[in-house]
Amino acid sequence: MSLYHLKSDTYQFSHNNQPRVLVVSTNNELVKQICSILIKYQFAFEIANLGEQAWQMINRNCPDLVICDWEIPDMSGLALCQRIKAGLINQSLSRVYFVAVIADRQKEQRAMGIEVGIDEFVYTPIDEIELSLRVRSGCRASVTAKLLGWTKQKLAIQEKLFKALELTDRATGLLTQQSMQLGLPRFLAELEQQNFDRTYLNLMLLGVSQYEQVRDKYGNRIAAEVMGAIAGRIRNKVEADSILCHYGCESGNELICITTNIDPNCINDLGQRLLAAVSTHPIAVDGGLLLPMNLNIGSVVCQLSADLDFPQLIEQGHQLLAKAKQDGKNCMRIADISAQTPIYTA
């Protein structure tokens, strides 16, 4: 229960969009003095007797500004400020403006307070004009900081959304991982509904062996140029209706090729064409560099179905790709899971 009772809820946190102030003290005379000033200058506020009570109120309904007595029984104002500014439970709490009330102008108290994040100090006896100005400027700073925080969050969400909506990867011109994951199930469902004679699906995971070395030595621009050239060579060798995707957009070095009208007996030939397309001739990039590159392939064959578990297929492809890398450069592993008896082909 508050030490100083208000006759109207005009000053409660819920009132419109006024800046919100929390007063923390067990000193009844100090609370009355501060609250009378807040009422006079029309600030919305609440009162807490103890530090733990204040902490619960702050987490329940975050104020814009806290006016806290330096000495409170269960927790010092210093400790309360430190807990708020840490923002461990809620990062937005770190933007709460904190005003400490101290009895004198001791430099030691000010230094300790500044170190833990106290924004401003007021001294007893309270000066009405000084307190009103500090509260007004503090609330303005707190609200501005919160708006900036919300704006940053909104921009981050928008950036993530726009990135997800990009259909093709800039470096390779191929589908992005997100667009493939969103569009492929619908595409396969339509194929199945139209009864096209495409019984088998082949998913090839293509790993570019020297990508990391090129990126580390020549930088991201040259690495992107290399991936673009490799994507072009792959595109010229796959089936006309194959779906190509730059799957490893974070690591940069993986492509996916999905073909739905292929005889399982022809998959090895397709893989060999792709391996040769990349390794036979070096990649020419800006500056006259000729960079020899190689692929490894993990290939999964299965029967076409609208309810295929693509994450599982991709995981199986990764396992096969890892085995192919262990075999050496320009190696491929194939598993025909439609036959229930996986066949690995180097």
Side-chain angles (χ1 to χ4, degrees):
M1 181 179 294
S2 300
L3 288 172
Y4 184 63
H5 300 283
L6 302 175
K7 295 181 180 179
S8 169
D9 62 357
T10 303
Y11 308 103
Q12 301 305 304
F13 279 178
S14 60
H15 181 66
N16 297 330
N17 293 317
Q18 286 181 279
R20 299 166 300 179
V21 179
L22 177 63
V23 180
V24 187
S25 179
T26 55
N27 185 328
N28 197 30
E29 291 303 317
L30 178 63
V31 170
K32 286 183 179 181
Q33 187 180 8
I34 293 173
C35 290
S36 64
I37 296 171
L38 295 177
I39 291 171
K40 181 176 180 179
Y41 290 90
Q42 299 183 343
F43 290 105
F45 65 89
E46 280 188 338
I47 304 164
N49 303 149
L50 301 172
E52 284 298 337
Q53 180 192 10
W55 177 242
Q56 293 174 12
M57 294 171 69
I58 289 167
N59 279 282
R60 184 174 64 249
N61 199 349
C62 182
D64 297 295
L65 183 141
V66 173
I67 302 174
C68 184
D69 197 350
W70 186 268
E71 296 294 341
I72 42 181
D74 63 333
M75 181 191 307
S76 69
L78 198 69
L80 179 60
C81 177
Q82 193 168 23
R83 187 182 291 188
I84 293 171
K85 294 294 185 178
L88 297 178
I89 297 178
N90 184 347
Q91 186 61 39
S92 65
L93 295 184
S94 63
R95 294 186 282 269
V96 173
Y97 202 85
F98 197 96
V99 178
V101 181
I102 58 179
D104 52 45
R105 300 174 184 267
Q106 290 183 355
K107 291 183 179 180
E108 183 179 348
Q109 286 183 330
R110 285 181 57 85
M112 292 170 58
I114 291 171
E115 187 174 351
V116 301
I118 290 177
D119 298 289
E120 195 58 85
F121 296 86
V122 294
Y123 306 97
T124 55
I126 300 292
D127 181 274
E128 177 183 318
I129 296 177
E130 180 185 8
L131 178 64
S132 65
L133 290 175
R134 295 195 188 284
V135 171
R136 194 175 303 279
S137 63
C139 286
R140 189 183 302 117
S142 178
V143 170
T144 301
K146 288 179 181 179
L147 288 174
L148 287 173
W150 293 333
T151 301
K152 287 180 180 179
Q153 290 178 0
K154 185 177 179 181
L155 289 174
I157 293 171
Q158 288 179 344
E159 183 179 358
K160 186 176 181 180
L161 176 62
F162 291 154
K163 186 176 181 180
L165 291 175
E166 288 182 356
L167 295 179
T168 57
D169 171 59
R170 296 177 184 177
T172 62
L174 305 181
L175 291 175
T176 63
Q177 178 177 339
Q178 291 88 347
S179 59
M180 184 200 74
Q181 290 173 334
L182 289 172
L184 190 59
R186 180 179 296 179
F187 169 71
L188 295 177
E190 290 177 357
L191 285 182
E192 191 174 53
Q193 289 174 2
Q194 295 176 29
N195 295 317
F196 283 177
D197 186 19
R198 303 183 179 197
T199 308
Y200 290 97
L201 178 141
N202 172 233
L203 183 146
M204 282 188 174
L205 205 62
L206 316 175
V208 180
S209 302
Q210 296 94 339
Y211 176 82
E212 287 86 357
Q213 293 92 317
V214 170
R215 183 189 58 197
D216 294 343
K217 185 174 182 179
Y218 299 106
N220 290 329
R221 185 180 65 82
I222 295 296
E225 193 174 340
V226 167
M227 287 302 297
I230 290 175
R233 293 186 183 185
I234 297 295
R235 191 185 290 110
N236 290 332
K237 296 297 180 180
V238 297
E239 301 297 323
D241 56 355
S242 293
I243 299 171
L244 286 173
C245 163
H246 189 188
Y247 187 80
C249 293
E250 296 297 329
S251 59
N253 66 338
E254 291 180 0
L255 307 176
I256 282 182
C257 175
I258 298 174
T259 308
T260 57
N261 64 339
I262 189 168
D263 185 333
N265 296 319
C266 298
I267 291 173
N268 185 61
D269 292 339
L270 173 60
Q272 294 300 331
R273 292 204 308 270
L274 300 184
L275 293 174
V278 174
S279 63
T280 302
H281 302 290
I283 304 291
V285 295
D286 188 29
L289 291 172
L290 293 175
L291 302 176
M293 305 297 292
N294 297 282
L295 284 182
N296 289 104
I297 299 177
S299 180
V300 184
V301 189
C302 63
Q303 288 187 332
L304 178 61
S305 170
D307 58 355
L308 282 174
D309 187 343
F310 277 98
Q312 183 179 0
L313 283 180
I314 292 171
E315 176 58 29
Q316 289 173 315
H318 270 121
Q319 293 174 6
L320 293 168
L321 178 60
K323 292 178 181 291
K325 289 179 178 179
Q326 292 174 0
D327 295 336
K329 296 178 181 178
N330 293 318
C331 291
M332 176 172 59
R333 290 285 188 122
I334 303 172
D336 184 354
I337 62 175
S338 63
Q340 302 299 324
T341 53
I343 303 171
Y344 297 96
T345 305

